[in-house]
Amino acid sequence: MTGKQNIAVEFREVSYRVQQRDLLHHLNLSIYEGEALILLGRSGSGKTTTLKLINHLLVPTQGQVIVRNRPTTEWDVIKLRRSIGYVIQEIGLFPHLSVEDNIALVPSLENWKANRIKARVYELLDLVGLEPDKFASRYPHQLSGGQKQRVGVARALAADPPILLMDEPFGALDPITRLELQQQFDDLRKQLRKTVIFVTHDIQEAFILATRIGLMQEGKLVSLGTPAEFKQDTHPEARRFLACLRAIA
């Protein structure tokens, strides 16, 4: 990273404990505006815990999470969450709502005018590669897995949030669809200049999407750097992940 950059999210000595078990240990991390920070690690390493602390689904046991210069504990929770897009593997589309109504949900709650909402929905469907006239009126059960995930991304972007959280959003897809969505999302992120924090256990996905990779192990951040820097990392856990990358090359 070069030059002075604004910080979108900052962790200051953040720990999170449940039933005497530390899920996160003294995390210090600055996430810069417009970057794609990939949190990489095995199951149980603390990736999703870190993500949920950003939108106040969890509250730090110790330390502070600062979002856009304000601790999450000082935000109005509803305003905070509406300013952060959130995409998960299960997608979470409302089955009784059409694609258009699913995407329009947050703008409607923000009292946008109907014509502005419709224009935004159609713009986003175009952006994620779904023809608006064909897909706006469909329901989730009429979509493939890849189409549902595209709608999930569109819904997360609907109110134009500056920050996007993504928790293994492509993990349940077949390899071809997954690669297509990874590449499309990377193009979309660069076009929209969003700050993205993306959780994965897939080293290949990390290298496709990351401006920086943060490697987590047992609740600690053990490595942080660009993909090029990660390739040179001598930490044992980094070497294990890189061995996985070589195995599929």
Side-chain angles (χ1 to χ4, degrees):
M1 314 293 283
T2 58
K4 181 175 174 54
Q5 293 180 290
N6 293 325
I7 296 174
V9 179
E10 186 177 6
F11 289 77
R12 297 179 183 170
E13 283 294 316
V14 174
S15 297
Y16 182 73
R17 171 174 283 202
V18 176
Q19 297 177 345
Q20 307 303 309
R21 179 169 171 249
D22 288 322
L23 302 184
L24 208 61
H25 304 265
H26 301 289
L27 177 61
N28 289 288
L29 172 64
S30 295
I31 301 166
Y32 299 100
E33 289 182 358
E35 79 163 321
L37 176 72
I38 306 303
L39 293 176
L40 176 69
R42 307 187 201 199
S43 297
S45 62
K47 308 183 303 295
T48 295
T49 297
T50 302
L51 209 66
K52 288 181 176 180
L53 286 162
I54 295 172
N55 65 355
H56 206 59
L57 285 172
L58 299 175
V59 180
T61 308
Q62 175 184 325
Q64 285 187 322
V65 181
I66 313 294
V67 176
R68 297 167 65 199
N69 300 314
R70 188 189 307 175
T72 54
T73 51
E74 295 179 10
W75 274 86
D76 175 280
V77 174
I78 293 174
K79 287 184 179 178
L80 174 67
R81 290 178 185 162
R82 288 184 185 174
S83 72
I84 297 174
Y86 193 35
V87 187
I88 57 176
Q89 184 173 317
E90 293 80 12
I91 308 165
L93 299 180
F94 292 103
H96 60 289
L97 296 181
S98 68
V99 165
E100 180 171 357
D101 289 340
N102 264 286
I103 297 171
L105 191 60
V106 174
S108 298
L109 292 170
E110 292 288 297
N111 297 313
W112 288 23
K113 292 183 178 179
N115 59 345
R116 183 186 176 196
I117 292 174
K118 192 173 190 70
R120 181 64 172 164
V121 169
Y122 275 53
E123 174 192 12
L124 286 168
L125 284 172
D126 264 332
L127 276 173
V128 299
L130 297 174
E131 297 174 44
D133 291 334
K134 184 177 180 182
F135 286 95
S137 61
R138 290 190 182 180
Y139 285 80
H141 73 272
Q142 297 172 308
L143 306 176
S144 70
Q147 290 165 350
K148 287 178 184 176
Q149 203 55 270
R150 284 181 166 90
V151 174
V153 171
R155 184 176 64 178
L157 292 169
D160 200 22
I163 298 169
L164 195 59
L165 308 180
M166 306 188 75
D167 194 352
E168 303 202 47
F170 310 137
L173 302 176
D174 66 83
I176 295 173
T177 303
R178 183 172 184 168
L179 181 59
E180 288 173 350
L181 277 180
Q182 288 166 348
Q183 292 170 336
Q184 184 182 27
F185 176 74
D186 192 44
D187 291 340
L188 188 63
R189 180 196 66 79
K190 291 171 182 173
Q191 179 182 341
L192 299 177
R193 297 181 179 179
K194 300 293 181 188
T195 303
V196 176
I197 303 99
F198 190 112
V199 162
T200 186
H201 60 265
D202 183 335
I203 180 69
Q204 187 175 29
E205 184 165 68
F207 270 83
I208 290 171
L209 297 176
T211 54
R212 287 193 301 164
I213 298 172
L215 178 63
M216 303 198 70
Q217 183 182 29
E218 297 179 351
K220 297 178 181 178
L221 185 68
V222 297
S223 174
L224 179 66
T226 65
E229 290 167 340
F230 189 88
K231 286 181 179 179
Q232 305 303 318
D233 200 309
T234 58
H235 190 281
E237 188 73 351
R239 303 316 298 174
R240 293 184 192 104
F241 271 97
L242 288 166
C244 295
L245 189 64
R246 288 192 295 270
I248 58 177

